[in-house]
Amino acid sequence: MLLNELDAPVLDGHLVRLEPLAAGHAPDLAVAAGEDRATYRYTWVPAAGEIGRYIDEQLGRAAAGVLRPYAQISKKSGKAVGVTAFWDPRHWPERDELCAVEVGFTWLGRSAQGTGVNTEAKYLLFRHAFERWNAVRVDLKTDARNERSRAAIERVGARFEGVLRCWSRSWAPGEQGRLRDSAMYSIIASEWPHCRARLEARLARL
């Protein structure tokens, strides 16, 4: 089953609303991408002038059924402050039913980092994957050197599974054409109730 065959409505929280990514989000995302980029060393974040092409590429992946991209809309400002996505769907053996999916392609403008937007966005995505799509596993991964990203993934309750060496493309400056080591994390369905309670408690404090 491809991601474009699954329901993926607007996911609405108290801090963030996740809207299916569209060309209309480009002006806000260009502003977000143009903020301080010091935290993006290991993350694929388009430059402000590349946002139009970036959205087109993501929508092309969406049409192919391998990606379900969202714009992250700050409820405080009403502006798109970053993106995130479901991607890499995997099926049960010999069944056309979703078994697992990754949450990735995530970035936030500097001013939205540390505000709770990322935490609530992950909560909304996890809840939809486990409770609507009946996934048994949600994956997350990041450059093994990206301590900031790894800490954020661990804070949302994902379990570290190890490092896969030379696993995927490096986005670090000067490493074009090279592969990175990827730190792999996951949440499985049996862990979701505890993870959900933990995330809800964190969000309540915000």
Side-chain angles (χ1 to χ4, degrees):
M1 180 174 289
L2 301 177
L3 287 178
N4 58 10
E5 297 171 345
L6 293 165
D7 70 304
V10 170
L11 303 177
D12 205 14
H14 296 290
L15 301 173
V16 64
R17 182 174 66 256
L18 301 182
E19 297 180 354
L21 184 66
H25 295 118
D28 289 349
L29 291 176
V31 172
E35 294 178 357
D36 179 4
R37 297 174 62 88
T39 61
Y40 298 154
R41 181 179 177 189
Y42 301 111
T43 305
W44 178 34
V45 181
E50 299 170 341
I51 287 293
R53 184 178 65 184
Y54 168 83
I55 291 176
D56 288 343
E57 291 174 351
Q58 295 296 72
L59 294 181
R61 295 181 178 94
V66 298
L67 185 77
R68 181 69 78 161
Y70 284 97
Q72 302 192 66
I73 311 299
S74 165
K75 298 292 285 287
K76 182 177 181 179
S77 68
K79 304 290 187 181
V81 294
V83 299
T84 191
F86 290 118
W87 82 292
D88 192 21
R90 297 187 303 288
H91 305 150
W92 286 97
E94 302 179 0
R95 289 158 54 184
D96 189 23
E97 297 176 32
L98 184 74
C99 173
V101 69
E102 183 166 337
V103 169
F105 285 95
T106 300
W107 62 269
L108 282 173
R110 184 65 185 91
S111 62
Q113 296 173 22
T115 64
V117 165
N118 178 66
T119 299
E120 189 172 56
K122 292 294 193 298
Y123 169 76
L124 294 171
L125 293 167
F126 296 162
R127 187 177 67 182
H128 194 77
F130 287 118
E131 299 181 15
R132 180 67 179 179
W133 291 347
N134 297 316
V136 296
R137 174 185 168 97
V138 171
D139 305 329
L140 303 98
K141 69 174 182 285
T142 189
D143 191 305
R145 299 167 294 181
N146 193 341
E147 295 181 3
R148 180 187 180 91
S149 178
R150 293 181 65 168
I153 291 171
E154 290 168 5
R155 283 196 300 270
V156 299
R159 181 176 297 187
F160 176 57
E161 295 184 324
V163 173
L164 297 181
R165 297 175 297 167
C166 295
W167 178 252
S168 57
R169 176 178 177 175
S170 174
W171 298 103
E175 295 186 358
Q176 290 79 4
R178 293 175 58 185
L179 297 175
R180 74 181 193 190
D181 295 346
S182 290
M184 309 297 292
Y185 294 81
S186 72
I187 301 169
I188 61 174
S190 62
E191 297 166 344
W192 171 237
H194 175 73
C195 180
R196 174 174 178 158
R198 178 177 171 179
L199 285 170
E200 289 176 347
R202 282 189 62 195
L203 291 169
R205 292 194 295 271
L206 295 172

